[in-house]
Amino acid sequence: MKLEKRWIVAFVIITIVACIGLFWPHQQAAVSENFADAKNINVADVAWLLTASCLVLLMTPGLSFFYGGMVGKKNVISTMLKSFICLGVISLLWVTIGFSLSFGSPIGFSIKGTYYGIIGNPLEFTFFDQVEMLPHTKLGTTIPFILFALFQMKFAVITPAIITGALAERIRFISFLLFICLFSLCIYAPLCHMIWHPHGLLGSYFGVKDFAGGTVVHMSAGFAALAGVIVLGKRKNNEHIPTNIPFVLLGTGLLWFGWFGFNAGSALAANATAAMAFATTTIASAAAMMTWVFFDRLNGRKVSALGACIGAVVGLVVITPSAGYITIPQSIFFGFMGAIVSNKMVYWKKLKQIDDTLDVFACHGVGGIMGMILTAIFAQGENASLLHGGWNVFGHHMVALVLVSIFTFGGAYLLFKLTNLIIPIRVTEESEDLGLDLSQHGEKF
């Protein structure tokens, strides 16, 4: 298939989606077993979740600046666009079928008389059927269901955007679009359902604690990034010279700011848990930032703005699964440990050999793993962790960690291979030499 035909197919798909949306027989929500009366809506919770949704949306442009400043000058625009375009692609995918796959009625199997889901019913909330002003009885009980769906949409958007940093400077744009659609439907949606749906397999049966997405977002993106760089192969010139450090600083600031919506918003209410998550988020990031720069200096490297920024983001990643489950002093330890381990992984020679352009696996994948392990040890609440439930609870988390790692890495590897069969994912040598900004987009930084 020639390049022009691929783009024709893409345009036909968006045309079909738009036409279906116009004539879709939308089903309205009504007070029932699944939907409560509008009088249950709490206006303070609505105000906070509207704000939190805006904050999480801001993280994706923030990520584009964060990544864009790190790559070579010939690939700034292409790298930033791959993050930014997720706002369009994944938002439409989420409305049409993604939300239904993630939070629809569970499809799975029964264990000892209890039913556990591995994915949602794809037809229940198609084109946001029933996703309106009434609150759901199990999902965001004090806010309109539409607000819950939009808040969760921002998580679905940023997850594939995180992957772009690993694939920068060598992946074909249209292939990337196809992959993130497949990833969102085949990996993100099932993982989201299994952990965050009240009857999901990992959350309900294994008892996995993931307050705001350490497993759903960061581990899935990190392992997908690892799979991607293995399939893509190394760049011809993998020398890493960041183009614009102020972009990285700006992106870090936007990410840190938006992360308050990411973590504190995951309380789904304007309450004390949200306030605690807000506090642990910023303290863990501060601890990780300072640990990273000091650890760099102890290892003979200069204190750099780039290092400070990476450290801050790693701290945000590590605290994400436990933001509402631990104390502020514990969050300092989370940031400290996350920074040490991720820093060692960033400079690990064997990981460098596979050419993860912006160290996505070392920061997001490993950060997500560390967050899950530390959460499994310290999370407060009955039967929540090793310290509050015993070895059995911790063991369930570790089994789940292995299962998630295999599922996300193996699934992403197969999806990259499938994408490559449909559309070659690697740009030509000439395009790589010219730079993706010009060769893919006809623009120049």
Side-chain angles (χ1 to χ4, degrees):
M1 182 183 287
K2 293 182 179 180
L3 181 62
E4 291 77 8
K5 290 184 179 180
R6 292 170 188 150
W7 285 107
I8 291 171
V9 170
F11 186 76
V12 168
I13 291 173
I14 188 64
T15 302
I16 291 172
V17 170
C19 292
I20 291 175
L22 180 63
F23 297 104
W24 185 262
H26 180 71
Q27 297 180 29
Q28 295 185 336
V31 176
S32 61
E33 179 183 352
N34 293 326
F35 294 99
D37 192 275
K39 66 182 180 181
N40 291 335
I41 292 176
N42 183 302
V43 292
D45 294 347
V46 172
W48 167 232
L49 263 295
L50 285 169
T51 304
S53 297
C54 295
L55 290 170
V56 182
L57 184 147
L58 187 64
M59 291 174 68
T60 300
L63 184 70
S64 71
F65 276 101
F66 183 72
Y67 282 165
M70 290 187 190
V71 296
K73 190 173 183 180
K74 297 186 294 184
N75 297 288
V76 174
I77 295 170
S78 67
T79 301
M80 295 182 74
L81 179 60
K82 286 183 180 71
S83 291
F84 204 83
I85 202 71
C86 293
L87 285 166
V89 176
I90 305 303
S91 295
L92 291 176
L93 199 64
W94 188 251
V95 169
T96 53
I97 193 172
F99 179 66
S100 197
L101 289 172
S102 300
F103 291 99
S105 297
I107 297 174
F109 48 86
S110 180
I111 301 177
K112 297 180 180 179
T114 304
Y115 196 77
Y116 299 100
I118 56 176
I119 198 164
N121 180 353
L123 303 178
E124 187 169 5
F125 302 128
T126 309
F127 279 92
F128 270 22
D129 276 347
Q130 303 181 77
V131 183
E132 295 180 328
M133 292 181 287
L134 297 181
H136 199 277
T137 55
K138 296 179 181 178
L139 303 169
T141 57
T142 62
I143 59 175
F145 196 35
I146 181 65
L147 181 52
F148 174 82
L150 292 176
F151 177 67
Q152 289 294 338
M153 182 177 77
K154 307 308 186 293
F155 287 71
V157 166
I158 198 171
T159 304
I162 292 170
I163 302 170
T164 64
L167 316 175
E169 302 187 340
R170 61 199 186 280
I171 188 170
R172 193 187 301 268
F173 184 70
I174 193 168
S175 304
F176 172 75
L177 296 183
L178 175 59
F179 171 77
I180 63 174
C181 291
L182 295 173
F183 170 85
S184 297
L185 296 177
C186 301
I187 295 179
Y188 180 84
L191 192 58
C192 180
H193 182 86
M194 286 190 283
I195 289 183
W196 283 338
H197 191 280
H199 300 293
L201 177 66
L202 295 177
S204 185
Y205 179 73
F206 284 92
V208 172
K209 298 291 183 183
D210 188 2
F211 188 77
T215 304
V216 176
V217 176
H218 297 289
M219 277 186 64
S220 68
F223 277 104
L226 183 63
V229 297
I230 292 173
V231 174
L232 267 173
K234 299 179 182 179
R235 291 166 292 166
K236 288 185 63 181
N237 178 14
N238 57 8
E239 186 179 8
H240 189 188
I241 303 176
T243 294
N244 196 318
I245 298 299
F247 269 20
V248 181
L249 287 162
L250 173 62
T252 304
L254 292 172
L255 283 169
W256 199 333
F257 180 62
W259 224 291
F260 293 128
F262 199 80
N263 285 0
S266 293
L268 298 178
N271 56 19
T273 301
M276 185 58 70
F278 192 105
T280 56
T281 296
T282 197
I283 297 304
S285 186
M289 174 193 282
M290 301 312 300
T291 302
W292 192 285
V293 296
F294 292 154
F295 194 65
D296 267 354
R297 196 70 191 97
L298 289 175
N299 283 277
R301 296 183 288 269
K302 290 185 178 181
V303 174
S304 65
L306 187 65
C309 290
I310 294 172
V313 171
V314 167
L316 294 166
V317 171
V318 173
I319 197 62
T320 292
S322 60
Y325 302 136
I326 63 170
T327 65
I328 293 175
Q330 287 174 333
S331 72
I332 299 175
F333 181 76
F334 273 53
F336 171 81
M337 285 302 301
I340 294 290
V341 175
S342 283
N343 188 290
K344 295 294 290 185
M345 291 297 292
V346 163
Y347 293 101
W348 187 31
K349 290 183 179 179
K350 288 188 177 180
L351 197 57
K352 284 292 185 184
Q353 290 173 357
I354 64 172
D355 195 16
D356 180 343
T357 310
L358 302 181
D359 301 309
V360 174
F361 178 73
C363 295
H364 291 272
V366 173
I369 292 170
M370 284 300 300
M372 187 176 186
I373 293 173
L374 292 171
T375 301
I377 297 173
F378 295 104
Q380 299 183 23
E382 187 177 357
N383 292 323
S385 63
L386 176 62
L387 298 182
H388 302 278
W391 285 103
N392 186 49
V393 176
F394 180 78
H396 275 109
H397 274 80
M398 295 304 99
V399 171
L401 190 154
V402 173
L403 292 175
V404 169
S405 301
I406 293 172
F407 171 67
T408 52
F409 175 80
Y413 185 87
L414 292 175
L415 292 179
F416 273 112
K417 286 290 189 180
L418 176 61
T419 301
N420 194 44
L421 286 175
I422 300 171
I423 309 172
I425 59 177
R426 182 82 184 236
V427 298
T428 64
E429 289 189 9
E430 293 78 8
S431 296
E432 189 174 342
D433 288 337
L434 183 61
L436 272 61
D437 289 358
L438 279 174
S439 64
Q440 295 280 293
H441 309 293
E443 296 174 316
K444 189 176 180 180
F445 176 68

